[in-house]
Amino acid sequence: MEESLNFLYTGQLCGSLEMLPRLYTFIKSLRGRMEGRTILLDIGSACDPSVWHCEATGGRSMIVALDGMGCAAANVSGYLAEEERPKLGGNLAIAPVDETHPHIVDDLIFTLRPPISVEWDRLAVVLKPTEKTRLDSRVLSLVRVKAGQVGRVSLERMDALWYLTTYSLHDMPPTTPPDPTIAGAVEFITAEARYAQKKR
Protein backbone atom coordinates (compact mmCIF):
# COMPACT_ATOMS: atom_id res chain seq x y z
CA MET A 1 0.00 0.00 0.00
CA GLU A 2 1.37 3.39 -1.02
CA GLU A 3 -0.25 6.79 -0.58
CA SER A 4 0.82 10.42 -0.72
CA LEU A 5 -0.39 12.89 1.88
CA ASN A 6 0.43 16.60 1.94
CA PHE A 7 -0.18 19.39 4.40
CA LEU A 8 -0.04 23.10 3.75
CA TYR A 9 -0.33 25.26 6.84
CA THR A 10 -0.42 28.84 8.09
CA GLY A 11 0.17 30.41 11.50
CA GLN A 12 0.58 33.70 13.37
CA LEU A 13 -1.91 35.51 11.14
CA CYS A 14 -2.98 37.61 14.15
CA GLY A 15 -6.17 38.92 12.57
CA SER A 16 -4.67 39.92 9.20
CA LEU A 17 -7.86 39.59 7.18
CA GLU A 18 -6.47 41.87 4.48
CA MET A 19 -3.62 39.40 3.80
CA LEU A 20 -5.86 36.41 3.16
CA PRO A 21 -6.88 37.02 -0.49
CA ARG A 22 -3.22 37.12 -1.55
CA LEU A 23 -2.30 34.27 0.77
CA TYR A 24 -5.01 32.09 -0.75
CA THR A 25 -3.65 32.71 -4.25
CA PHE A 26 -0.23 31.62 -2.99
CA ILE A 27 -1.66 28.52 -1.31
CA LYS A 28 -3.44 27.54 -4.54
CA SER A 29 -0.17 27.83 -6.47
CA LEU A 30 1.60 25.58 -3.96
CA ARG A 31 -1.27 23.08 -3.95
CA GLY A 32 -1.12 22.87 -7.73
CA ARG A 33 2.43 21.51 -7.55
CA MET A 34 1.59 18.70 -5.12
CA GLU A 35 0.37 15.20 -5.88
CA GLY A 36 -2.02 13.20 -3.72
CA ARG A 37 -4.27 14.31 -0.89
CA THR A 38 -3.53 17.86 0.28
CA ILE A 39 -4.96 19.32 3.50
CA LEU A 40 -4.79 22.97 4.63
CA LEU A 41 -4.32 23.70 8.35
CA ASP A 42 -3.69 26.65 10.66
CA ILE A 43 -1.42 26.03 13.65
CA GLY A 44 -2.44 28.93 15.88
CA SER A 45 -2.82 32.66 16.58
CA ALA A 46 -5.06 33.32 13.58
CA CYS A 47 -6.94 35.90 15.66
CA ASP A 48 -5.65 38.34 18.25
CA PRO A 49 -8.02 39.90 20.83
CA SER A 50 -6.29 43.27 20.32
CA VAL A 51 -7.50 43.36 16.69
CA TRP A 52 -10.92 45.01 16.44
CA HIS A 53 -12.74 42.33 14.41
CA CYS A 54 -11.31 39.53 16.58
CA GLU A 55 -12.60 41.31 19.67
CA ALA A 56 -15.98 42.11 18.09
CA THR A 57 -16.62 38.52 16.97
CA GLY A 58 -14.95 36.66 19.81
CA GLY A 59 -12.38 35.25 17.41
CA ARG A 60 -14.90 33.93 14.89
CA SER A 61 -13.95 36.28 12.04
CA MET A 62 -10.69 34.56 11.12
CA ILE A 63 -12.19 31.08 11.57
CA VAL A 64 -14.91 31.89 9.04
CA ALA A 65 -12.29 33.30 6.65
CA LEU A 66 -10.06 30.23 7.00
CA ASP A 67 -13.09 28.03 6.36
CA GLY A 68 -13.71 29.93 3.14
CA MET A 69 -10.12 29.17 2.13
CA GLY A 70 -10.72 25.45 2.59
CA CYS A 71 -8.85 25.07 5.87
CA ALA A 72 -9.71 21.68 7.41
CA ALA A 73 -8.65 22.34 11.02
CA ALA A 74 -7.32 25.28 13.03
CA ASN A 75 -5.73 25.68 16.43
CA VAL A 76 -8.13 28.16 18.09
CA SER A 77 -6.56 28.01 21.54
CA GLY A 78 -6.24 31.45 23.12
CA TYR A 79 -8.76 33.30 20.97
CA LEU A 80 -12.01 31.32 20.65
CA ALA A 81 -13.86 31.09 23.96
CA GLU A 82 -16.02 28.07 24.70
CA GLU A 83 -19.21 30.17 24.61
CA GLU A 84 -18.34 31.35 21.08
CA ARG A 85 -18.28 27.85 19.59
CA PRO A 86 -22.08 27.51 19.16
CA LYS A 87 -22.14 30.87 17.33
CA LEU A 88 -20.04 29.40 14.53
CA GLY A 89 -23.13 27.49 13.44
CA GLY A 90 -23.26 24.23 11.56
CA ASN A 91 -22.39 25.46 8.09
CA LEU A 92 -18.61 25.52 8.47
CA ALA A 93 -16.41 22.62 7.40
CA ILE A 94 -13.39 23.76 9.44
CA ALA A 95 -12.72 22.01 12.76
CA PRO A 96 -11.81 24.43 15.61
CA VAL A 97 -9.28 22.52 17.72
CA ASP A 98 -8.13 23.36 21.25
CA GLU A 99 -6.98 21.48 24.35
CA THR A 100 -10.40 19.96 24.99
CA HIS A 101 -11.61 19.59 21.40
CA PRO A 102 -9.40 17.37 19.22
CA HIS A 103 -10.75 16.47 15.79
CA ILE A 104 -10.75 12.98 14.30
CA VAL A 105 -11.65 12.41 10.66
CA ASP A 106 -11.01 9.19 8.76
CA ASP A 107 -7.40 8.16 9.55
CA LEU A 108 -6.29 11.58 10.89
CA ILE A 109 -6.25 13.01 14.40
CA PHE A 110 -5.81 16.78 14.80
CA THR A 111 -4.81 17.68 18.34
CA LEU A 112 -2.78 20.12 20.44
CA ARG A 113 -1.26 17.40 22.63
CA PRO A 114 0.86 14.61 21.16
CA PRO A 115 -0.97 11.34 21.96
CA ILE A 116 0.85 8.78 24.09
CA SER A 117 0.21 6.24 21.35
CA VAL A 118 -1.43 6.23 17.93
CA GLU A 119 -3.08 3.21 16.31
CA TRP A 120 -1.14 1.74 13.40
CA ASP A 121 -3.65 2.89 10.80
CA ARG A 122 -3.87 6.52 11.99
CA LEU A 123 -1.74 9.64 11.89
CA ALA A 124 -1.84 12.35 14.57
CA VAL A 125 -1.07 15.94 13.54
CA VAL A 126 -0.17 18.32 16.37
CA LEU A 127 -1.54 21.80 15.61
CA LYS A 128 0.82 23.55 17.99
CA PRO A 129 4.01 25.00 16.45
CA THR A 130 7.33 23.42 17.39
CA GLU A 131 10.98 24.13 16.64
CA LYS A 132 11.29 21.33 14.11
CA THR A 133 9.09 19.41 11.69
CA ARG A 134 9.29 15.70 12.48
CA LEU A 135 7.36 12.47 12.32
CA ASP A 136 7.76 10.20 15.32
CA SER A 137 5.60 7.15 16.13
CA ARG A 138 2.82 8.29 13.78
CA VAL A 139 2.78 11.79 15.36
CA LEU A 140 3.55 14.71 13.03
CA SER A 141 4.88 17.95 14.54
CA LEU A 142 5.07 21.16 12.48
CA VAL A 143 7.68 23.90 12.67
CA ARG A 144 6.36 27.40 13.37
CA VAL A 145 5.58 29.80 10.53
CA LYS A 146 5.17 33.58 10.41
CA ALA A 147 2.32 35.52 8.84
CA GLY A 148 2.83 35.47 5.09
CA GLN A 149 4.57 32.11 5.17
CA VAL A 150 3.13 28.72 4.26
CA GLY A 151 4.55 25.48 5.59
CA ARG A 152 4.57 22.46 3.31
CA VAL A 153 4.91 18.83 4.41
CA SER A 154 4.72 15.68 2.29
CA LEU A 155 4.44 12.11 3.53
CA GLU A 156 4.32 8.70 1.89
CA ARG A 157 2.70 5.59 3.32
CA MET A 158 4.38 2.31 2.43
CA ASP A 159 3.53 -1.04 4.01
CA ALA A 160 1.16 0.74 6.42
CA LEU A 161 3.91 3.04 7.74
CA TRP A 162 4.09 6.79 7.21
CA TYR A 163 7.38 8.38 6.15
CA LEU A 164 8.19 12.08 6.09
CA THR A 165 9.57 12.79 2.61
CA THR A 166 9.90 16.59 2.37
CA TYR A 167 9.13 19.70 4.38
CA SER A 168 9.78 23.35 3.66
CA LEU A 169 8.68 26.92 4.39
CA HIS A 170 7.63 29.27 1.62
CA ASP A 171 7.42 33.07 1.75
CA MET A 172 4.54 34.64 -0.15
CA PRO A 173 5.94 36.79 -2.98
CA PRO A 174 5.08 40.50 -2.54
CA THR A 175 3.59 40.62 -6.04
CA THR A 176 1.04 37.85 -5.36
CA PRO A 177 -2.38 39.02 -6.64
CA PRO A 178 -5.49 38.71 -4.45
CA ASP A 179 -8.04 35.97 -5.05
CA PRO A 180 -11.35 37.73 -5.83
CA THR A 181 -13.52 35.14 -4.08
CA ILE A 182 -11.64 35.43 -0.79
CA ALA A 183 -11.50 39.23 -1.19
CA GLY A 184 -15.29 39.22 -1.38
CA ALA A 185 -15.52 36.95 1.65
CA VAL A 186 -13.24 39.27 3.63
CA GLU A 187 -15.48 42.24 2.78
CA PHE A 188 -18.52 40.33 4.02
CA ILE A 189 -16.76 39.20 7.22
CA THR A 190 -15.60 42.77 7.89
CA ALA A 191 -19.13 44.11 7.45
CA GLU A 192 -20.53 41.45 9.79
CA ALA A 193 -17.85 42.25 12.38
CA ARG A 194 -18.69 45.98 12.23
CA TYR A 195 -22.35 45.12 12.77
CA ALA A 196 -21.43 42.94 15.77
CA GLN A 197 -19.23 45.75 17.11
CA LYS A 198 -22.14 48.23 16.98
CA LYS A 199 -24.42 45.81 18.85
CA ARG A 200 -22.02 45.64 21.80
Side-chain angles (χ1 to χ4, degrees):
M1 180 170 59
E2 183 172 340
E3 181 184 355
S4 298
L5 176 61
N6 309 295
F7 295 102
L8 294 172
Y9 66 93
T10 57
Q12 293 292 321
L13 294 173
C14 297
S16 298
L17 274 174
E18 68 284 351
M19 182 193 297
L20 298 186
R22 293 173 54 240
L23 189 62
Y24 185 61
T25 297
F26 184 47
I27 287 169
K28 284 196 299 182
S29 73
L30 291 173
R31 189 190 291 266
R33 295 176 236 157
M34 306 172 86
E35 296 182 2
R37 187 164 47 143
T38 301
I39 298 171
L40 179 62
L41 306 169
D42 184 83
I43 62 170
S45 301
C47 242
D48 187 313
S50 67
V51 177
W52 75 269
H53 62 81
C54 291
E55 193 274 333
T57 64
R60 288 176 284 120
S61 53
M62 289 296 283
I63 298 172
V64 172
L66 287 169
D67 179 75
M69 293 168 63
C71 186
N75 173 359
V76 300
S77 179
Y79 70 85
L80 182 70
E82 186 66 30
E83 61 271 17
E84 297 294 335
R85 279 180 170 270
K87 297 178 185 177
L88 287 170
N91 296 324
L92 301 185
I94 191 171
V97 176
D98 59 21
E99 293 284 353
T100 56
H101 297 88
H103 178 63
I104 301 174
V105 56
D106 300 327
D107 55 347
L108 299 174
I109 304 167
F110 298 105
T111 180
L112 297 194
R113 297 182 180 181
I116 296 172
S117 63
V118 180
E119 294 176 23
W120 70 271
D121 58 345
R122 290 185 182 269
L123 175 71
V125 183
V126 180
L127 298 182
K128 186 180 284 188
T130 60
E131 296 305 316
K132 184 179 180 182
T133 295
R134 59 192 171 93
L135 178 62
D136 184 30
S137 300
R138 294 183 287 278
V139 177
L140 178 65
S141 301
L142 303 170
V143 71
R144 64 184 70 252
V145 291
K146 299 181 294 185
Q149 286 184 325
V150 177
R152 174 179 170 174
V153 178
S154 295
L155 299 92
E156 293 285 341
R157 182 159 60 181
M158 292 175 284
D159 299 325
L161 293 176
W162 285 108
Y163 295 90
L164 180 61
T165 55
T166 61
Y167 59 91
S168 51
L169 298 181
H170 301 265
D171 294 308
M172 179 174 63
T175 56
T176 303
D179 178 87
T181 301
I182 301 303
V186 166
E187 287 184 14
F188 176 78
I189 291 165
T190 301
E192 289 288 299
R194 292 206 182 279
Y195 178 71
Q197 192 179 44
K198 289 177 182 176
K199 286 178 63 178
R200 291 197 166 197

